């Protein structure tokens, strides 16, 4: 029986080639979209799932409660937490700390082997960790022993890729590399391990690990008077004993704060609550935008899943519409089968069988499409999804399940619709133009275009917001600025000489050093308060240490007082230049800002110190436009120990100056590679996630419209065929081609207009919620909906008119001769 169903199904596929092609192509495109987005979503939710102790590892994060009740989330904590928590609670099997070099975005690695040329390059994503790190997190070692790899302070564990860059195909174990910057203080480190890149799919997106006892952070831990409140620089991970109830354990943490941190917290003027965050949830914990690496919003994945589902639904709707529309042609077949004794279940089985045949053909085509378009999708999504992933057992089963669901969903209504009618009614054709079938088809067309119009509006809003972010004045000159990092003692010592050399070039108008620059992470801040107030009334101010002419180089706009300058050699690091947000924070009028003093408590000297405001600059965006502008203060860096030098070029062809800068760099720092970036590109990189969202939504909008048009084309062809005799009569009676085209197109255009009316409030709500993630944003305008609606009408007209014109110009003799 099943074989017979499949045989009949295949014959029907071949008999109706146009409708079968539309269905197979539409379904395959819908399934391709669904598969690609499923691969993306699975990739995002798989972070840290490979960890051996994944269900027992937690990040110990803080919720800092200010005196005004404001809660600030912080994924890091003070250094003493680790060993104290382990000693205090028997539920804790192991702890490990991780420190990210927030002062430098890249680190110099160098190999100096006898008889070989020196290899050196800058590497990102290096971290300092405790020796217990690999006892908490699982990495597959290709060389070395994970249990002892970081016991020595001067040991380093490399990823497979970094090891290959340094040593080629030779073993890296026990070889020596020099690590510059704050990470390694330009000291030698022995390679004690190499791990497989594939085993590092974690929120800890690290390419190499250095002992926490090394570099600048090692010196800090050995010399500082550490307390339980300040210097929240360390990520703390706990591995709990298997079977430990995390909720019950969390109830013990307030007691830990009372016992060890209450005194320091009281002096600091705020409270703290410790919270456990499961490591498997970290990547999707967008309440904090960075936990070692960037987090993403689970809502974003829900949006992608919705797009995948809607795209597939549109394809299924096409199938259902075309199947019900074609039911008239199969009336005799159905009627005769029922007269000959075919039961309802048999007919349902036959039509579902046909649906399954088409669906599995579409599945095979979709798999081919996925293989072909995966590289393109990787570019859209900034992913490195692999074709081999498609053939993993769980993925194969997921795709087969997707095909089964699609087949059942697509074929369900036609199967049940055709099988329930009385055979005499079916043979007489009474159901062909039934109100229920027509209403369903119209409703499904409306649903398709609601989704398509919604996606078009979303595309317009997202593109508008991205354009706004690119064009929004930032409060400084972001263009024609070249940024050069200093990542070693030698390069930092060459700052003054390099700056002088650069200023000799008449195409470079300014050059100055800084610890941070707008667009990159700046974790440095301090708590200050007005004289006469207490620490309980303090406010947090972002801080940066700069050379005297940095603000002039950046083009900040002065509002009051003066900037730092070499004309004022008496300036000290107790004088500051602030932005307008600082004045608003402390209620200081602009005209009274210069000379105003702010206090801060120096815990190391155990004294209160005072700093003087000497200038105010206009507010500027040192973070991307997702973030609101907060208080910011510039301190004068007196020792010249800068992290970067920024050079302003007075020609639009910035690349013409690079060979000159590189030659000066090589003459001063010959053993280090020359690297640079453009400030405007660094700043725009903060919008990579938004650009990725835009690319994905744009692409799937086009696809959804394409699939909708396929269905509309099929329905228009059916409608024209159903009314062929009516059209012939009208033409005989003198109707023009244009009036017939208008008649046939009018019904579909009405449906599109209804779709616009439904889609408008729904899309406004969704996109308004999306815009809430931006502190500075566009407003949703009426014309966005008008443009999307007009586009939908035009596309529908173009799609339907092809069939309408074909029907209108047909010779009426051919359509009426059977009468």
């Amino acid at each position: 029986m099943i074989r017979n169903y499949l045989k009949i199904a295949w014959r029907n596929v071949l008999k109706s080639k146009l409708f079968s092609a539309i269905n197979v192509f539409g379904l395959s495109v819908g399934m391709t979209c669904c598969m690609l987005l499923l691969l993306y979503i699975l990739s995002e939710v798989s972070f840290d799932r490979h960890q051996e102790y994944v269900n027992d590892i937690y990040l110990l994060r803080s919720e800092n409660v200010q005196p005004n009740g404001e809660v600030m989330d912080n994924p890091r904590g003070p250094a003493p937490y680790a060993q104290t928590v382990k000693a205090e609670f028997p539920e804790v099997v192991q702890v490990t700390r991780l420190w990210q070099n927030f002062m430098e975005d890249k680190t110099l690695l160098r190999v100096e082997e006898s008889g070989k040329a020196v290899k050196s390059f800058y590497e990102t994503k290096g971290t300092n960790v405790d020796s217990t790190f690999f006892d908490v997190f699982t990495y597959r070692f290709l060389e070395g022993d994970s249990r002892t790899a970081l016991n020595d302070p001067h040991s380093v564990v490399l990823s497979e890729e970094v090891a290959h860059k340094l040593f080629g195909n030779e073993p890296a174990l026990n070889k020596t590399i020099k690590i510059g910057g704050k990470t390694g203080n330009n000291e030698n480190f022995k390679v004690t391990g190499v791990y497989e890149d594939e085993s590092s799919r974690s929120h800890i997106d690290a390419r190499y690990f250095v002992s926490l006892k090394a570099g600048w952070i090692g010196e800090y831990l050995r010399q500082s008077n550490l307390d339980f409140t300040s210097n929240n620089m360390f990520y703390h991970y706990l591995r709990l004993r298997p079977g430990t109830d995390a909720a019950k354990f969390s109830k013990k943490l307030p007691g830990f704060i009372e016992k060890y941190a209450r005194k320091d917290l009281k002096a600091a003027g705020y409270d703290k609550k410790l919270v456990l965050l499961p490591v498997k949830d970290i990547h999707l914990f967008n309440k904090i935008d960075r936990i070692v690496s960037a987090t993403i919003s689970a809502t974003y994945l829900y949006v992608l899943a919705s797009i995948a589902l809607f795209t597939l639904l549109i394809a299924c709707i096409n199938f259902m519409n075309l199947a019900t529309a074609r039911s008239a042609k199969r009336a005799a077949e159905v009627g005769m089968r029922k007269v000959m004794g075919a039961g309802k279940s048999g007919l349902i089985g036959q039509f579902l069988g046909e649906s399954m045949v088409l669906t599995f053909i579409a599945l095979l085509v979709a798999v081919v499409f996925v293989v072909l378009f995966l590289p393109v999708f990787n570019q859209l999504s900034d992913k490195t999804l692999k074709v081999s992933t498609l053939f993993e057992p769980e993925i194969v089963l997921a795709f087969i399940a997707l095909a089964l669901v699609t087949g059942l969903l697509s074929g369900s209504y036609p199967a049940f619709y055709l099988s329930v009618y009385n055979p005499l009614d079916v043979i007489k054709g009474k159901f062909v133009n039934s109100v229920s079938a027509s209403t369903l088809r119209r409703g499904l067309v409306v649903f398709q275009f609601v989704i398509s119009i919604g996606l078009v509006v979303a595309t317009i809003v997202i593109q508008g917001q991205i354009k706004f972010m690119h064009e929004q004045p930032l409060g400084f000159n972001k263009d024609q600025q070249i940024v050069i990092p200093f990542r070693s003692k030698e390069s930092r010592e060459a700052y003054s000489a390099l700056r002088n050399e650069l200023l000799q070039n008449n195409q470079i108008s300014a050059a100055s050093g800084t610890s941070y620059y707008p667009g990159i992470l700046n974790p440095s801040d301090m708590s200050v308060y007005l004289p006469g107030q207490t620490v309980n009334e303090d406010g947090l101010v972002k801080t940066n240490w700069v050379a005297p002419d940095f603000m002039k180089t950046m083009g900040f706009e002065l509002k009051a007082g003066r900037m730092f300058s070499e004309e004022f050699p008496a300036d000290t690091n107790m004088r500051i230049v602030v932005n307008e947000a600082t004045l608003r924070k402390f209620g200081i009028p602009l005209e009274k800002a210069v000379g105003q003093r702010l206090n801060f408590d120096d815990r190391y000297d155990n004294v209160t110190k005072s700093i003087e405001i000497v200038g105010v600059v206009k507010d500027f965006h040192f973070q991307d436009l997702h973030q609101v502008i907060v208080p910011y203060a510039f301190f004068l860096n007196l020792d010249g120990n800068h992290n970067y030098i920024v050079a302003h070029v007075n020609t639009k062809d910035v690349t013409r100056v690079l060979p000159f800068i590189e030659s000066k760099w090589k003459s001063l720092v010959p053993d280090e590679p020359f690297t640079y970036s453009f400030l405007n590109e660094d700043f725009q990189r903060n919008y990579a996630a938004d650009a990725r969202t835009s690319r994905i939504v744009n692409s799937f909008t086009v696809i959804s419209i394409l699939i909708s048009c396929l269905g509309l084309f099929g329905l228009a062809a059916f409608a024209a065929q159903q009314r062929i005799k009516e059209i012939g009569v009208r033409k005989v009676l003198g109707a023009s081609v244009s009036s017939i085209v208008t008649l046939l197109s009018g019904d579909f255009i009405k449906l599109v207009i209804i779709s616009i009316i439904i889609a408008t409030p729904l899309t406004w709500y969704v996109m308004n919620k999306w815009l809430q993630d931006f502190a500075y944003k566009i407003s949703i305008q009426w014309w966005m909906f008008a443009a999307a609606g007009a586009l939908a009408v035009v596309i529908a007209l173009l799609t339907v008119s092809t069939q309408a014109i074909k029907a209108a110009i047909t010779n009426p003799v051919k359509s009426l001769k059977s009468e």
Side-chain angles (χ1 to χ4, degrees):
M1 184 66 73
I2 294 175
R3 199 165 95 186
N4 184 52
Y5 288 160
L6 294 176
K7 186 183 295 184
I8 295 172
W10 181 246
R11 286 175 181 171
N12 281 312
V13 168
L14 297 178
K15 185 177 178 181
S16 306
K17 293 183 177 63
L18 175 62
F19 287 101
S20 297
I22 290 175
N23 273 330
V24 168
F25 184 73
L27 280 176
S28 62
V29 172
M31 293 172 75
T32 299
C33 297
C34 210
M35 289 178 182
L36 289 172
L37 289 175
L38 177 63
L39 288 175
Y40 182 93
I41 293 168
L42 288 175
S43 170
E44 291 297 327
V45 300
S46 67
F47 277 68
D48 290 297
R49 301 289 171 169
H50 68 285
Q51 304 290 352
E52 181 181 353
Y53 307 108
V54 64
N55 294 317
D56 301 315
I57 309 174
Y58 295 85
L59 173 71
L60 188 67
R61 68 179 182 89
S62 302
E63 291 180 351
N64 297 338
V65 184
Q66 302 300 318
N68 61 4
E70 181 184 0
V71 177
M72 301 175 64
D73 278 289
N74 188 353
R76 297 172 294 271
Y81 275 7
Q83 293 307 317
T84 312
V85 166
K86 185 179 179 183
E88 185 76 11
F89 302 110
E91 295 94 334
V92 180
V93 176
Q94 190 57 278
V95 295
T96 195
R97 294 172 297 181
L98 182 150
W99 177 76
Q100 265 188 316
N101 187 352
F102 55 84
M103 293 173 280
E104 301 168 344
D105 60 345
K106 55 179 68 73
T107 299
L108 182 68
L109 304 184
R110 183 185 304 170
V111 176
E112 300 173 352
E113 294 183 286
S114 178
K116 296 183 179 180
V118 174
K119 286 184 181 179
S120 61
F121 59 87
Y122 288 106
E123 187 57 75
T124 60
K125 302 177 182 178
T127 60
N128 294 69
V129 295
D130 277 319
S131 60
T132 56
F133 180 80
F134 295 111
D135 192 27
V136 175
F137 292 97
T138 306
Y139 285 75
R140 191 178 301 113
F141 270 54
L142 302 175
E143 299 179 44
D145 185 347
S146 63
R147 294 170 297 180
T148 59
L150 292 174
N151 285 352
D152 189 303
H154 282 81
S155 57
V156 60
V157 175
L158 307 176
S159 69
E160 186 179 4
E161 184 179 347
V162 172
H164 182 75
K165 286 172 68 175
L166 288 168
F167 303 106
N169 295 323
E170 298 178 5
L173 194 65
N174 295 325
K175 291 189 175 179
T176 301
I177 67 173
K178 186 170 287 188
I179 302 178
K182 302 290 186 182
T183 302
N185 281 350
N186 209 33
E187 297 174 352
N188 288 325
F189 288 77
K190 184 169 74 172
V191 179
T192 54
V194 176
Y195 60 87
E196 190 180 61
D197 291 329
E198 291 297 320
S199 70
S200 62
R201 183 151 187 73
S202 167
H203 74 283
I204 302 173
D205 186 18
R207 292 167 59 81
Y208 64 95
F209 296 98
V210 179
S211 171
L212 197 61
K213 297 178 181 178
W216 176 88
I217 195 63
E219 293 178 357
Y220 169 82
L221 290 173
R222 287 189 292 272
Q223 298 175 8
S224 295
N225 180 23
L226 304 175
D227 59 43
F228 283 81
T229 301
S230 60
N231 297 299
N232 295 269
M233 299 187 296
F234 302 89
Y235 295 96
H236 291 77
Y237 296 93
L238 314 182
R239 177 159 74 86
L240 301 183
R241 201 171 301 282
T244 300
D245 187 322
K248 289 182 179 179
F249 176 75
S250 296
K251 293 178 180 178
K252 298 182 179 182
L253 295 175
F256 176 85
I257 290 294
E258 287 296 324
K259 183 175 180 179
Y260 293 100
R262 178 55 58 206
K263 180 181 177 182
D264 292 332
L265 286 171
K266 186 175 181 180
Y270 68 96
D271 200 1
K272 178 176 289 193
K273 179 182 177 183
L274 297 181
V275 183
L276 293 182
L277 176 61
V279 73
K280 60 186 177 183
D281 296 339
I282 287 178
H283 184 61
L284 301 180
F285 191 79
N286 71 311
K287 190 176 180 181
I288 302 173
D289 62 357
R290 289 191 65 84
I291 303 179
V292 184
S293 60
T295 60
I296 71 163
S297 169
T299 304
Y300 173 61
L301 297 186
Y302 291 138
V303 169
L304 292 185
S306 299
I307 292 174
L309 178 62
F310 286 144
T311 306
L312 187 59
L313 273 176
I314 289 173
C316 292
I317 287 168
N318 282 351
F319 188 102
M320 296 166 70
N321 270 343
L322 293 177
T324 53
R326 289 183 60 240
S327 58
K329 284 194 169 186
R330 304 194 61 181
E333 175 197 341
V334 174
M336 288 303 297
R337 289 176 69 89
K338 296 195 80 170
V339 167
M340 297 298 291
K344 178 180 176 182
S345 59
L347 289 170
I348 291 173
Q350 178 190 332
F351 287 109
L352 286 179
E354 291 180 18
S355 173
M356 288 299 179
V357 168
L358 286 174
T359 301
F360 274 92
I361 292 173
L363 175 62
L364 294 176
V365 175
V367 170
V368 174
F369 282 172
V370 169
V371 172
L372 291 175
F373 293 109
L374 191 59
V376 178
F377 183 74
N378 280 335
Q379 289 184 333
L380 285 176
S381 60
D382 291 330
K383 283 286 182 181
T384 54
L385 304 175
K386 297 180 180 178
V387 174
S388 58
T389 308
L390 290 173
F391 304 103
E392 293 178 2
E394 58 270 23
I395 300 296
V396 172
L397 289 174
F399 286 171
I400 292 174
L402 177 65
L404 289 171
V405 171
T406 303
L408 289 172
L409 184 63
S410 302
S412 59
Y413 185 82
F416 290 100
Y417 171 74
L418 287 170
S419 62
V420 297
Y421 282 93
N422 183 287
L424 292 177
D425 292 336
V426 172
I427 293 173
K428 292 177 181 178
K430 289 185 178 179
F431 79 101
V432 171
N433 295 312
S434 66
V435 175
S436 62
S438 177
T439 303
L440 176 69
R441 287 197 296 272
R442 291 168 180 269
L444 293 177
V445 168
V446 168
F447 180 76
Q448 283 182 312
F449 273 89
V450 166
I451 295 171
S452 297
I453 292 166
L455 287 173
V456 171
V457 174
T459 298
I460 294 172
V461 173
I462 292 171
Q463 289 291 348
Q465 178 64 20
I466 289 177
K467 182 180 179 183
F468 171 78
M469 292 188 296
H470 280 272
E471 297 178 351
Q472 175 76 355
L474 299 175
F476 60 88
N477 296 329
K478 71 178 187 328
D479 298 319
Q480 298 168 226
Q481 303 276 24
I482 299 174
V483 181
I484 304 167
F486 297 133
R487 291 297 174 263
S488 68
K489 179 182 177 183
E490 290 79 8
S491 61
R492 285 186 170 92
E493 290 175 348
Y495 163 72
S496 296
L498 178 63
R499 177 176 177 271
N500 292 334
E501 291 283 359
L502 295 183
L503 293 178
Q504 298 303 312
N505 190 315
N506 58 14
Q507 292 182 313
I508 300 176
S509 58
S512 188
T514 180
S515 293
Y516 310 100
Y517 60 92
I520 67 169
L521 176 67
N522 177 0
S524 180
D525 54 40
M526 66 186 301
S527 293
V528 298
Y529 52 94
L530 291 170
Q533 295 183 341
T534 67
V535 69
N536 291 324
E537 299 168 280
D538 65 353
L540 210 58
V541 176
K542 282 286 182 183
T543 54
N544 191 8
W545 283 261
V546 300
D549 47 1
F550 175 74
M551 285 175 279
K552 178 183 175 182
T553 301
M554 292 296 298
F556 292 124
E557 182 181 334
L558 187 66
K559 300 294 290 185
R562 62 176 176 84
M563 299 179 187
F564 296 135
S565 169
E566 292 178 342
E567 299 175 5
F568 297 91
D571 276 345
T572 70
N573 57 11
M574 289 291 102
R575 291 177 176 175
I576 59 173
V577 176
V578 300
N579 66 349
E580 294 171 296
T582 305
L583 304 187
R584 291 195 297 272
K585 176 72 175 180
F586 296 98
I588 303 171
L590 179 62
E591 60 274 13
K592 296 183 179 179
V594 177
Q596 173 67 54
R597 289 191 170 271
L598 297 171
N599 293 344
F600 70 96
D601 290 342
D602 189 328
R603 291 195 182 94
Y604 300 109
D605 296 335
N606 200 26
V607 295
T608 298
K609 294 184 178 180
S610 177
I611 48 180
E612 178 189 359
I613 297 175
V614 297
V616 180
V617 294
K618 184 179 179 180
D619 280 339
F620 62 96
H621 293 277
F622 61 93
Q623 293 174 295
D624 61 76
L625 271 67
H626 289 91
Q627 312 295 328
V628 68
I629 295 174
V630 299
Y632 202 100
F634 293 98
F635 286 78
L636 193 61
N637 187 333
L638 298 176
D639 61 11
N641 190 24
H642 303 292
N643 290 335
Y644 304 91
I645 184 171
V646 179
H648 181 67
V649 180
N650 55 23
T651 174
K652 290 187 177 180
D653 188 4
V654 180
T655 56
R656 291 177 54 189
V657 188
L658 291 176
F660 169 78
I661 299 177
E662 183 175 9
S663 66
K664 297 305 178 184
W665 174 272
K666 289 183 175 178
S667 67
L668 294 169
V669 197
D671 293 333
E672 295 183 25
F674 172 70
T675 188
Y676 65 92
S677 63
F678 299 115
L679 189 147
N680 59 341
E681 293 179 358
D682 290 342
F683 201 93
Q684 296 305 326
R685 203 169 289 123
N686 291 296
Y687 305 126
D690 303 303
R692 180 173 63 243
T693 301
S694 175
R695 292 193 299 268
I696 291 175
V697 171
N698 291 353
S699 302
F700 285 89
T701 298
V702 172
I703 291 169
S704 70
I705 292 173
L706 171 64
I707 298 174
S708 297
C709 289
L710 278 174
L712 205 58
F713 177 84
L715 287 177
F718 167 76
Q721 188 177 23
Q722 288 292 97
R723 302 177 71 173
I724 193 69
K725 289 183 172 56
E726 176 193 344
I727 293 169
V729 171
R730 287 178 178 273
K731 290 197 70 175
V732 168
L733 294 175
S736 65
V737 172
S738 60
S739 65
I740 292 173
V741 171
T742 301
L743 174 71
L744 293 175
S745 303
D747 289 342
F748 291 103
I749 299 305
K750 289 176 185 176
L751 298 180
V752 175
I753 292 173
I754 293 171
S755 302
I756 295 170
I757 294 170
I758 296 173
T760 298
L762 293 175
T763 310
W764 180 89
Y765 175 78
V766 172
M767 296 315 298
N768 191 56
K769 293 286 286 184
W770 180 76
L771 286 171
Q772 298 309 309
D773 288 338
F774 298 89
Y776 304 91
K777 53 187 178 289
I778 63 172
S779 57
I780 301 176
Q781 304 289 332
W782 66 268
W783 65 263
M784 298 176 178
F785 300 96
L791 180 64
V793 170
V794 169
I795 290 173
L797 271 175
L798 291 174
T799 304
V800 174
S801 62
T802 56
Q803 289 298 313
I805 292 171
K806 180 181 176 181
I809 63 177
T810 301
N811 190 334
V813 174
K814 291 183 179 180
S815 56
L816 296 175
K817 65 181 179 180
S818 61
E819 299 296 322

